[in-house]
Amino acid sequence: MAASRTPLHPDAAHNLALAMVECSEAPLLLLDGDLTVIAASASFCRSFQIDPANVAERSIFELGAGEWDMRKLRSLLTATISGHADIDAYEMDLIRTQQEPRRLVVNARQLAFGDADNARLLVTVSDVTDARVAEKLKDDLLREKAILLQEIQHRVANSLQIIASVLLQSARRVRSDETRIHLHDAHNRVMSVATLQKQLATSRLGDVELGPYFIQLCESLSASMISDHDKLSIEVTTDKSAVHADISVSLGLIVTELVINALKHAFPGGRHGKIMVGYQTHGPNWTLSVKDNGVGMPADPTSATPGLGTSIV
């Protein structure tokens, strides 16, 4: 059998509301239909430097030095006590003489006592000044961090371009073919890192889409290493996979080294050919491939001496 609730007598409900306000740790006001203060919590008086002895039976708009008398607040409280609205998280600035403004959040609800002629309004006030200052500081720090990151990325990109240019100029001046090859290799590796850096700079979520990245990477290698594009070409085929930046660094280095190796060794004597770079995912697994239609591997691969590229891969 369900128990029924007996409605409180209006006087008992009023007394209960008074008791709740008086013992509340939060800043509370209990107002009557004329927006006169019936009771105020000690925390309200303490938070806003109001003498508790001068609160009861005064209009809320007369509290303190009249700093609560604001047209918008008056309008909202009047509409709420009339039952036409509720104040839900209304933010306002409390401005007092010779004190810093405080940012407040006000909520107000009409209390149902079963007595339409004696409406009551419960008003809660929260001081969120420090929280808003902290939010602004956080936003400023994030904005400053973004600007700093842009500046770092710009400087890194410029530095990589300078290094690549110096290496290329050095390769043109040296007489040793072996040294020239090493300098060209270093130039190509720096350009691959520059391409990666550019891709990372344009990535919004910290993930790198592999298709555009591999295309840019191979275009950079093609421009620096292929003299006759009618004879040699590089083709990239990927799905729409995107990986974390750390993983993309490793994949980019592997592709760079294997493509450089193919360009150096797969097409001797001016042979025509194509290098195919591919990446596909298979559920949790993936396949990265770098193929070419050149002369193929040595008859005895174990006889070949591993170079820097092999070590990087």
Side-chain angles (χ1 to χ4, degrees), residues 29-69:
L29 288 174
L30 182 63
L31 308 180
D32 66 11
D34 296 325
L35 303 180
T36 298
V37 178
I38 299 172
S41 67
S43 58
F44 177 88
C45 298
R46 183 171 57 251
S47 297
F48 303 107
Q49 293 83 48
I50 296 175
D51 184 358
N54 296 324
V55 173
E57 299 183 359
R58 296 186 64 189
S59 169
I60 183 176
F61 307 115
E62 297 174 355
L63 296 180
E67 60 267 19
W68 295 86
D69 190 5

Short mmCIF file of all heavy atoms in Angstrom, two decimals, residues 29-69:
data_model
loop_
_atom_site.label_atom_id
_atom_site.label_comp_id
_atom_site.label_asym_id
_atom_site.label_seq_id
_atom_site.Cartn_x
_atom_site.Cartn_y
_atom_site.Cartn_z
N LEU A 29 19.08 33.95 -0.37
CA LEU A 29 18.13 34.96 0.08
C LEU A 29 16.73 34.40 -0.05
O LEU A 29 16.41 33.73 -1.04
CB LEU A 29 18.24 36.24 -0.76
CG LEU A 29 19.47 37.13 -0.58
CD1 LEU A 29 19.43 38.24 -1.63
CD2 LEU A 29 19.55 37.70 0.82
N LEU A 30 15.87 34.67 0.95
CA LEU A 30 14.45 34.34 0.87
C LEU A 30 13.70 35.67 0.79
O LEU A 30 13.79 36.50 1.71
CB LEU A 30 14.00 33.54 2.09
CG LEU A 30 12.53 33.09 2.08
CD1 LEU A 30 12.26 32.14 0.91
CD2 LEU A 30 12.15 32.43 3.41
N LEU A 31 12.98 35.87 -0.33
CA LEU A 31 12.28 37.13 -0.57
C LEU A 31 10.78 36.91 -0.55
O LEU A 31 10.29 35.82 -0.88
CB LEU A 31 12.68 37.71 -1.94
CG LEU A 31 14.18 37.86 -2.23
CD1 LEU A 31 14.37 38.44 -3.63
CD2 LEU A 31 14.88 38.71 -1.19
N ASP A 32 10.04 37.98 -0.19
CA ASP A 32 8.59 37.89 -0.27
C ASP A 32 8.11 38.43 -1.61
O ASP A 32 8.91 38.70 -2.50
CB ASP A 32 7.93 38.63 0.91
CG ASP A 32 8.17 40.15 0.87
OD1 ASP A 32 8.65 40.65 -0.18
OD2 ASP A 32 7.87 40.82 1.87
N GLY A 33 6.81 38.58 -1.76
CA GLY A 33 6.25 39.00 -3.04
C GLY A 33 6.66 40.38 -3.48
O GLY A 33 6.57 40.72 -4.67
N ASP A 34 7.08 41.22 -2.53
CA ASP A 34 7.53 42.58 -2.87
C ASP A 34 9.05 42.64 -3.03
O ASP A 34 9.61 43.74 -3.11
CB ASP A 34 7.10 43.56 -1.77
CG ASP A 34 5.58 43.68 -1.67
OD1 ASP A 34 4.94 43.59 -2.73
OD2 ASP A 34 5.08 43.82 -0.55
N LEU A 35 9.67 41.47 -3.06
CA LEU A 35 11.13 41.36 -3.19
C LEU A 35 11.85 41.96 -1.98
O LEU A 35 12.95 42.52 -2.10
CB LEU A 35 11.62 41.99 -4.49
CG LEU A 35 10.98 41.41 -5.77
CD1 LEU A 35 11.53 42.11 -7.01
CD2 LEU A 35 11.24 39.91 -5.86
N THR A 36 11.17 41.83 -0.85
CA THR A 36 11.77 42.23 0.42
C THR A 36 12.42 41.01 1.06
O THR A 36 11.89 39.90 1.01
CB THR A 36 10.70 42.81 1.37
OG1 THR A 36 10.13 43.98 0.77
CG2 THR A 36 11.29 43.18 2.72
N VAL A 37 13.57 41.22 1.68
CA VAL A 37 14.33 40.11 2.26
C VAL A 37 13.64 39.64 3.54
O VAL A 37 13.43 40.41 4.48
CB VAL A 37 15.78 40.53 2.57
CG1 VAL A 37 16.53 39.36 3.22
CG2 VAL A 37 16.49 40.98 1.30
N ILE A 38 13.29 38.36 3.55
CA ILE A 38 12.75 37.73 4.75
C ILE A 38 13.89 37.15 5.58
O ILE A 38 13.93 37.27 6.79
CB ILE A 38 11.75 36.62 4.40
CG1 ILE A 38 10.56 37.23 3.63
CG2 ILE A 38 11.27 35.89 5.63
CD1 ILE A 38 9.61 36.19 3.08
N ALA A 39 14.85 36.53 4.87
CA ALA A 39 16.00 35.96 5.56
C ALA A 39 17.17 35.89 4.58
O ALA A 39 16.98 35.77 3.36
CB ALA A 39 15.67 34.57 6.09
N ALA A 40 18.35 35.96 5.14
CA ALA A 40 19.58 35.84 4.34
C ALA A 40 20.53 34.91 5.07
O ALA A 40 20.64 34.95 6.30
CB ALA A 40 20.23 37.21 4.14
N SER A 41 21.19 34.06 4.34
CA SER A 41 22.16 33.16 4.96
C SER A 41 23.38 33.94 5.41
O SER A 41 23.73 34.99 4.85
CB SER A 41 22.58 32.06 3.98
OG SER A 41 23.32 32.61 2.90
N ALA A 42 24.03 33.40 6.43
CA ALA A 42 25.23 34.06 6.93
C ALA A 42 26.30 34.14 5.85
O ALA A 42 27.07 35.11 5.77
CB ALA A 42 25.76 33.30 8.15
N SER A 43 26.34 33.13 4.99
CA SER A 43 27.34 33.13 3.93
C SER A 43 27.10 34.24 2.91
O SER A 43 28.04 34.79 2.34
CB SER A 43 27.36 31.77 3.22
OG SER A 43 26.08 31.48 2.70
N PHE A 44 25.83 34.59 2.69
CA PHE A 44 25.52 35.70 1.78
C PHE A 44 26.06 37.01 2.36
O PHE A 44 26.73 37.78 1.66
CB PHE A 44 24.02 35.80 1.55
CG PHE A 44 23.61 36.96 0.68
CD1 PHE A 44 23.56 36.82 -0.70
CD2 PHE A 44 23.30 38.21 1.23
CE1 PHE A 44 23.20 37.90 -1.52
CE2 PHE A 44 22.94 39.28 0.43
CZ PHE A 44 22.90 39.12 -0.95
N CYS A 45 25.77 37.25 3.62
CA CYS A 45 26.23 38.49 4.26
C CYS A 45 27.75 38.54 4.32
O CYS A 45 28.36 39.60 4.09
CB CYS A 45 25.65 38.58 5.68
SG CYS A 45 23.83 38.66 5.72
N ARG A 46 28.36 37.40 4.59
CA ARG A 46 29.82 37.36 4.69
C ARG A 46 30.47 37.56 3.32
O ARG A 46 31.46 38.30 3.19
CB ARG A 46 30.24 36.00 5.28
CG ARG A 46 31.73 35.86 5.51
CD ARG A 46 32.05 34.60 6.29
NE ARG A 46 31.55 33.40 5.62
CZ ARG A 46 30.52 32.67 6.05
NH1 ARG A 46 29.86 33.03 7.13
NH2 ARG A 46 30.13 31.60 5.39
N SER A 47 29.90 36.95 2.28
CA SER A 47 30.49 37.03 0.95
C SER A 47 30.42 38.43 0.36
O SER A 47 31.33 38.85 -0.37
CB SER A 47 29.77 36.05 0.00
OG SER A 47 29.94 34.73 0.42
N PHE A 48 29.35 39.19 0.70
CA PHE A 48 29.16 40.49 0.08
C PHE A 48 29.23 41.64 1.08
O PHE A 48 28.76 42.74 0.80
CB PHE A 48 27.83 40.49 -0.68
CG PHE A 48 27.75 39.39 -1.71
CD1 PHE A 48 26.93 38.28 -1.49
CD2 PHE A 48 28.53 39.43 -2.85
CE1 PHE A 48 26.88 37.25 -2.43
CE2 PHE A 48 28.48 38.40 -3.79
CZ PHE A 48 27.66 37.31 -3.57
N GLN A 49 29.89 41.38 2.23
CA GLN A 49 30.17 42.39 3.25
C GLN A 49 28.93 43.21 3.62
O GLN A 49 28.91 44.44 3.56
CB GLN A 49 31.30 43.33 2.79
CG GLN A 49 32.66 42.69 2.65
CD GLN A 49 32.84 41.99 1.32
OE1 GLN A 49 32.55 42.55 0.28
NE2 GLN A 49 33.34 40.75 1.35
N ILE A 50 27.87 42.49 3.99
CA ILE A 50 26.62 43.13 4.38
C ILE A 50 26.35 42.80 5.84
O ILE A 50 26.46 41.64 6.27
CB ILE A 50 25.44 42.64 3.50
CG1 ILE A 50 25.68 43.07 2.04
CG2 ILE A 50 24.12 43.18 4.00
CD1 ILE A 50 24.65 42.54 1.07
N ASP A 51 25.99 43.80 6.61
CA ASP A 51 25.71 43.61 8.03
C ASP A 51 24.41 42.81 8.19
O ASP A 51 23.35 43.25 7.73
CB ASP A 51 25.55 44.98 8.70
CG ASP A 51 25.35 44.87 10.21
OD1 ASP A 51 25.29 43.73 10.71
OD2 ASP A 51 25.26 45.92 10.86
N PRO A 52 24.47 41.62 8.81
CA PRO A 52 23.26 40.79 8.95
C PRO A 52 22.12 41.52 9.65
O PRO A 52 20.94 41.22 9.39
CB PRO A 52 23.75 39.60 9.78
CG PRO A 52 25.23 39.55 9.56
CD PRO A 52 25.66 40.98 9.39
N ALA A 53 22.45 42.48 10.50
CA ALA A 53 21.40 43.19 11.24
C ALA A 53 20.62 44.14 10.33
O ALA A 53 19.52 44.59 10.70
CB ALA A 53 22.02 43.97 12.41
N ASN A 54 21.18 44.47 9.18
CA ASN A 54 20.52 45.42 8.28
C ASN A 54 20.01 44.76 7.01
O ASN A 54 19.97 45.40 5.96
CB ASN A 54 21.50 46.54 7.90
CG ASN A 54 21.91 47.38 9.09
OD1 ASN A 54 21.11 47.62 9.99
ND2 ASN A 54 23.17 47.81 9.11
N VAL A 55 19.63 43.48 7.10
CA VAL A 55 19.17 42.76 5.92
C VAL A 55 17.67 42.52 5.94
O VAL A 55 16.97 42.84 4.97
CB VAL A 55 19.92 41.40 5.80
CG1 VAL A 55 19.32 40.58 4.67
CG2 VAL A 55 21.40 41.64 5.54
N ALA A 56 17.18 41.96 7.03
CA ALA A 56 15.77 41.57 7.09
C ALA A 56 14.86 42.78 6.93
O ALA A 56 15.16 43.89 7.40
CB ALA A 56 15.48 40.87 8.42
N GLU A 57 13.76 42.55 6.21
CA GLU A 57 12.71 43.54 5.98
C GLU A 57 13.18 44.72 5.15
O GLU A 57 12.60 45.80 5.20
CB GLU A 57 12.10 44.01 7.30
CG GLU A 57 11.45 42.89 8.10
CD GLU A 57 10.79 43.39 9.37
OE1 GLU A 57 10.86 44.61 9.62
OE2 GLU A 57 10.22 42.57 10.10
N ARG A 58 14.25 44.49 4.36
CA ARG A 58 14.69 45.51 3.42
C ARG A 58 14.60 44.94 2.01
O ARG A 58 14.78 43.75 1.78
CB ARG A 58 16.14 45.94 3.69
CG ARG A 58 16.34 46.62 5.03
CD ARG A 58 17.76 47.13 5.17
NE ARG A 58 18.07 48.18 4.20
CZ ARG A 58 19.31 48.66 4.01
NH1 ARG A 58 20.31 48.17 4.71
NH2 ARG A 58 19.50 49.62 3.12
N SER A 59 14.33 45.79 1.05
CA SER A 59 14.31 45.34 -0.34
C SER A 59 15.70 44.86 -0.74
O SER A 59 16.71 45.42 -0.28
CB SER A 59 13.85 46.47 -1.25
OG SER A 59 14.06 46.13 -2.62
N ILE A 60 15.74 43.85 -1.57
CA ILE A 60 17.02 43.36 -2.06
C ILE A 60 17.79 44.48 -2.77
O ILE A 60 19.02 44.52 -2.74
CB ILE A 60 16.82 42.16 -3.02
CG1 ILE A 60 18.19 41.63 -3.47
CG2 ILE A 60 15.97 42.52 -4.21
CD1 ILE A 60 18.11 40.38 -4.34
N PHE A 61 17.06 45.43 -3.33
CA PHE A 61 17.71 46.49 -4.09
C PHE A 61 18.28 47.58 -3.18
O PHE A 61 18.95 48.49 -3.65
CB PHE A 61 16.71 47.10 -5.08
CG PHE A 61 16.05 46.06 -5.95
CD1 PHE A 61 14.69 45.82 -5.85
CD2 PHE A 61 16.81 45.29 -6.83
CE1 PHE A 61 14.08 44.84 -6.63
CE2 PHE A 61 16.21 44.32 -7.62
CZ PHE A 61 14.84 44.08 -7.52
N GLU A 62 18.01 47.48 -1.86
CA GLU A 62 18.54 48.44 -0.90
C GLU A 62 19.74 47.87 -0.14
O GLU A 62 20.32 48.57 0.70
CB GLU A 62 17.45 48.85 0.10
CG GLU A 62 16.27 49.56 -0.54
CD GLU A 62 15.15 49.83 0.45
OE1 GLU A 62 15.26 49.36 1.60
OE2 GLU A 62 14.15 50.48 0.07
N LEU A 63 20.10 46.63 -0.42
CA LEU A 63 21.20 46.01 0.32
C LEU A 63 22.52 46.70 -0.01
O LEU A 63 22.72 47.20 -1.12
CB LEU A 63 21.30 44.52 -0.02
CG LEU A 63 20.10 43.65 0.37
CD1 LEU A 63 20.35 42.20 -0.04
CD2 LEU A 63 19.83 43.74 1.87
N GLY A 64 23.42 46.70 0.99
CA GLY A 64 24.72 47.32 0.80
C GLY A 64 24.56 48.81 0.54
O GLY A 64 23.83 49.52 1.25
N ALA A 65 25.22 49.29 -0.51
CA ALA A 65 25.11 50.69 -0.89
C ALA A 65 24.24 50.84 -2.12
O ALA A 65 24.37 51.81 -2.88
CB ALA A 65 26.50 51.26 -1.15
N GLY A 66 23.33 49.88 -2.34
CA GLY A 66 22.43 49.93 -3.48
C GLY A 66 23.00 49.29 -4.73
O GLY A 66 22.43 49.41 -5.82
N GLU A 67 24.11 48.52 -4.56
CA GLU A 67 24.73 47.92 -5.74
C GLU A 67 23.91 46.79 -6.37
O GLU A 67 24.14 46.41 -7.52
CB GLU A 67 26.13 47.37 -5.38
CG GLU A 67 26.14 46.30 -4.31
CD GLU A 67 26.36 46.87 -2.91
OE1 GLU A 67 26.14 48.09 -2.73
OE2 GLU A 67 26.75 46.11 -2.02
N TRP A 68 22.90 46.29 -5.61
CA TRP A 68 22.03 45.24 -6.15
C TRP A 68 20.87 45.79 -6.96
O TRP A 68 20.11 45.03 -7.56
CB TRP A 68 21.48 44.37 -5.01
CG TRP A 68 22.57 43.60 -4.31
CD1 TRP A 68 23.34 44.05 -3.27
CD2 TRP A 68 23.02 42.29 -4.61
NE1 TRP A 68 24.26 43.09 -2.90
CE2 TRP A 68 24.08 41.98 -3.71
CE3 TRP A 68 22.64 41.32 -5.54
CZ2 TRP A 68 24.74 40.77 -3.74
CZ3 TRP A 68 23.29 40.11 -5.56
CH2 TRP A 68 24.34 39.84 -4.67
N ASP A 69 20.74 47.10 -6.99
CA ASP A 69 19.63 47.73 -7.71
C ASP A 69 20.03 47.88 -9.19
O ASP A 69 20.51 48.93 -9.63
CB ASP A 69 19.31 49.10 -7.10
CG ASP A 69 18.01 49.68 -7.67
OD1 ASP A 69 17.34 48.97 -8.46
OD2 ASP A 69 17.69 50.83 -7.34
#
